Amino acid sequence: MKAWRIYEPNNLKFDEMDAQPVGEGCVKLKMLRSAVSQTDARIYSGKIKVEYPLILGRQGVGMVTEVGEGVTAYKRGDRVAVNPVTSCGACAACVSGHPHECNHTLTYGEQEDGFMRDFSVVSAEDLIKLPDRISDNDAVFLEHIAMAINAVGALDLDKGEHIVVYGATLVGLILAQAAIYYQAVPVLVDMRADRLELAESLGVYYTVNPVDIDPFKKIFAITGGRMAETVAFMADSRMRPGFALNYAAQGGRVAFVGWKELLDETDASIAPVIEKRLKVTGVGCNGRNMQSAVNMLANKAVNVEKLVSKEVDLSHAGEVVAEYAAYPDKYLKVPVKI
């Protein structure tokens, strides 16, 4: 088995490893795709602390080659995606049969070995079957689509409402598309003109670049002076959330969306939370809505093909991880073909 394994910051090696045995309740996968993510880049640069050595790659798509004892839902030849967030199996929520409320979730490629390798053994409970109409490349976006669905639910986004998506990040671009699917009106704010052009090509018709125009005035005009009922701040946008709060209507709903490891420190003022009596929530990746993400992707409700920056073979994935760490804005998503 070959895998990209990190031993310390900036020390990533393409290792030859022993094959893994297939235990009870597990399956062996011939990996078809992984992807280079911001998590990989931050682990490589040392910004996210992990236990070394660790195989990178939080997204995984594979084909079942072997099933362990007790596995009946999957068979050899099934094509599946792996839920990147798995439950610990030992906390009170897990023991009581509510693994999605786990207090100690583990993430592949961060607390558990990831999928930047040719074969992997995982619990059958972490798998999602893929319909033929979803390509391997598209399937690496399922976690991001699920997070966008989480945000829509957390904000209780309603038909006809405006949602300011603050940050044209990967999840931000998907969330703006999801908002249209749910018949809401997204307004995407970002200082990167190329990202806004991409959003417009995806059907997002309201985009705002603070470099060119006062966002408050533009959003005031778009909403007829009411401002936005909902605001979603993208944790990895590297913008100041205090500004995003200003675009919320009185009594509006605000969500901070993303992975806590990617939330940069800010000096944001939270005064608008009090002044406007805002309802604020946090939205992360908890493993929920992966099946809903499959359905949305299969029905072409979101376009992820345009979000692929480039594709690389497994043997070159390490080079892209290092490049991504040095230039965080260079890529949106880089699928790794295995």
Side-chain angles (χ1 to χ4, degrees), residues 141-151 284 288-290 293:
F141 290 91
L142 287 173
E143 179 188 14
H144 307 84
I145 299 171
M147 186 177 290
I149 296 171
N150 289 348
R288 292 181 177 177
N289 288 319
M290 288 291 285

Side-chain angles (χ1 to χ4, degrees), residues 66-79:
E66 187 178 346
V67 298
E69 184 180 349
V71 176
T72 58
Y74 301 96
K75 65 182 185 304
R76 182 181 174 87
D78 283 345
R79 194 170 60 100

Side-chain angles (χ1 to χ4, degrees), residues 29-33 60-65 73-82 127-140 142 294 297-298:
L29 301 178
K30 167 64 179 75
M31 302 309 302
L32 302 172
R33 289 291 188 283
V61 179
M63 181 175 292
V64 176
T65 60
Y74 301 96
K75 65 182 185 304
R76 182 181 174 87
D78 283 345
R79 194 170 60 100
V80 298
V82 186
L127 301 181
I128 305 104
K129 283 185 180 179
L130 293 174
D132 292 339
R133 64 193 306 177
I134 294 180
S135 70
D136 296 338
N137 270 7
D138 286 359
V140 300
L142 287 173
V294 168
L297 191 54

Side-chain angles (χ1 to χ4, degrees), residues 143-192:
E143 179 188 14
H144 307 84
I145 299 171
M147 186 177 290
I149 296 171
N150 289 348
V152 168
L155 287 167
D156 195 21
L157 186 63
D158 203 1
K159 178 180 177 181
E161 288 189 326
H162 292 87
I163 174 172
V164 170
V165 180
Y166 201 65
T169 63
L170 184 57
V171 176
L173 290 162
I174 291 173
L175 176 56
Q177 294 182 73
I180 295 172
Y181 174 75
Y182 287 104
Q183 300 182 57
V185 184
V187 183
L188 187 60
V189 181
D190 201 283
M191 294 184 290
R192 294 167 287 191

Side-chain angles (χ1 to χ4, degrees), residues 109-131:
E110 191 173 344
Q111 288 88 29
E112 297 283 330
D113 280 332
F115 303 110
M116 220 173 278
R117 49 178 160 171
D118 51 6
F119 286 90
S120 182
V121 174
V122 299
S123 169
E125 294 182 355
D126 294 335
L127 301 181
I128 305 104
K129 283 185 180 179
L130 293 174

Side-chain angles (χ1 to χ4, degrees), residues 26 82-108 111-112 115 122-127 285-288 290:
C26 294
V82 186
N83 189 334
V85 178
T86 185
S87 56
C88 71
C91 69
C94 289
V95 172
S96 62
H98 300 89
H100 288 311
E101 298 176 8
C102 176
N103 296 318
H104 307 287
T105 56
L106 305 172
T107 302
Y108 289 108
Q111 288 88 29
E112 297 283 330
F115 303 110
V122 299
S123 169
E125 294 182 355
D126 294 335
L127 301 181
C285 181
N286 55 11
R288 292 181 177 177
M290 288 291 285

